[in-house]
Amino acid sequence: MLTLPIVKRAYRHLQNHPYFLISMLSFYLLYFILVFAVVLLIKQFSDSSIQLTTIVNSLQSQQLSLDVQTFQLLESITKNYLVKYQSIFLAIASVGTISLVLIQLFVSKIRHKEYNTYLLMGERVYKLTAQLIIEHLILINSVVLFLFVLYSFFAPPIVQQASQFEAETLQMEVKANPPDSTSQKDSSLSESKNENFTRFNVKPFLKGDSINNKFGENNTLQAVFLVVFINLYSCMVIGIPTYIVLSLTKGKLS
């Protein structure tokens, strides 16, 4: 067994333990779906916040005070929700990290006989740690790839749903806290009070100023960066507790 490559050993373990495979795949699938949904909302509100800031600056430079108050309110609401979803993301990441560490500790107890066998045969701790990391990375990257492929096929309706959710949220907040400018008949926003104010339809209120919407650019680069970050972070979260446990186990066996 020690002569087998680490990757092959990891793959063989997944093949021979279907319950572990299914349970961990289910965990990662549910976790990354939740993460993806929150990240999508963060990007939605972040992009809108950037464009609304641009609009406010444009209207202020043109001294169009009738419009700027409503857009300032929308900008403030968008930033508040952005902070809210960023906090939710950090909470999810923290819970996921703690859960993964606890899972690793639990798995270590279940697989202690296997670990002992490898260590007694002279296996290095770092090699065995690398095998366990690779086992999880195979599952994590399979789930991430599945979600990316799924998103590539259903991107328009997913983005539309996120945009609709944002629009309804902004409309609800504007109705609850109407700016003074909406009561003035000359306001172009008052004439469109039923409009869903998102970054996709605020452009007509720019009074001749054009905005280059670049929010869809560099998505591929962002996806690559995200995958690299997920892999590095997973290596750290899985590798550190596993290496400590294996080192302690080897110390007891020597």
Side-chain angles (χ1 to χ4, degrees):
M1 288 292 292
L2 294 179
T3 58
L4 290 175
I6 294 176
V7 176
K8 191 172 183 179
R9 262 167 42 189
Y11 180 73
R12 180 168 292 183
H13 177 269
L14 294 176
Q15 278 186 319
N16 296 334
H17 297 82
Y19 292 110
F20 173 79
L21 174 66
I22 295 173
S23 60
M24 291 308 302
L25 268 179
S26 301
F27 169 76
Y28 286 129
L29 182 61
L30 293 175
Y31 179 72
F32 281 112
I33 287 176
L34 184 59
V35 169
F36 175 79
V38 175
V39 168
L40 184 63
L41 290 175
I42 289 175
K43 180 174 174 56
Q44 184 77 20
F45 281 91
S46 175
D47 292 349
S48 294
S49 176
I50 294 172
Q51 184 149 4
L52 284 167
T53 300
T54 304
I55 291 173
V56 169
N57 293 336
S58 173
L59 294 174
Q60 286 178 336
S61 66
Q62 298 176 57
Q63 298 181 346
L64 296 174
S65 58
L66 293 180
D67 291 329
V68 72
Q69 292 185 32
T70 298
F71 282 115
Q72 285 176 332
L73 175 61
L74 290 170
E75 180 189 20
S76 175
I77 295 170
T78 303
K79 288 182 177 179
N80 288 337
Y81 273 91
L82 177 60
V83 172
K84 174 183 176 182
Y85 287 118
Q86 287 174 339
S87 301
I88 293 174
F89 173 78
L90 291 176
I92 293 173
S94 300
V95 171
T97 300
I98 295 172
S99 300
L100 195 53
V101 171
L102 293 177
I103 288 172
Q104 283 303 110
L105 296 176
F106 177 73
V107 170
S108 297
K109 289 186 177 182
I110 296 177
R111 299 176 63 179
H112 72 278
K113 291 184 178 179
E114 177 188 350
Y115 295 168
N116 292 347
T117 302
Y118 276 118
L119 294 173
L120 288 173
M121 292 173 63
E123 179 67 292
R124 299 289 186 91
V125 172
Y126 77 89
K127 286 187 176 181
L128 188 52
T129 303
Q131 175 191 333
L132 301 176
I133 291 174
I134 291 172
E135 289 176 9
H136 286 271
L137 290 184
I138 291 173
L139 301 178
I140 289 171
N141 285 282
S142 298
V143 169
V144 171
L145 178 62
F146 170 75
L147 291 178
F148 277 137
V149 171
L150 195 66
Y151 178 76
S152 66
F153 282 105
F154 299 99
I158 292 175
V159 172
Q160 184 179 3
Q161 286 297 319
S163 178
Q164 183 64 28
F165 174 79
E166 179 198 33
E168 291 175 355
T169 301
L170 293 179
Q171 283 292 88
M172 180 181 64
E173 293 290 345
V174 169
K175 289 178 180 178
N177 304 282
D180 295 337
S181 62
T182 55
S183 63
Q184 302 182 36
K185 295 182 179 180
D186 293 335
S187 174
S188 58
L189 289 177
S190 296
E191 296 172 0
S192 302
K193 60 183 179 181
N194 294 323
E195 187 77 34
N196 286 331
F197 299 116
T198 68
R199 68 177 183 274
F200 300 109
N201 49 26
V202 291
K203 186 174 178 181
F205 299 103
L206 271 181
K207 302 300 181 184
D209 188 18
S210 61
I211 292 179
N212 295 320
N213 194 342
K214 298 180 179 180
F215 300 114
E217 297 179 2
N218 300 323
N219 283 339
T220 302
L221 182 62
Q222 293 174 3
V224 171
F225 174 79
L226 181 61
V227 170
V228 171
F229 174 79
I230 289 173
N231 280 271
L232 292 177
Y233 188 73
S234 300
C235 287
M236 181 182 68
V237 174
I238 297 168
I240 292 176
T242 301
Y243 187 86
I244 293 173
V245 170
L246 291 176
S247 297
L248 294 174
T249 303
K250 186 175 182 180
K252 292 179 180 180
L253 294 175
S254 3

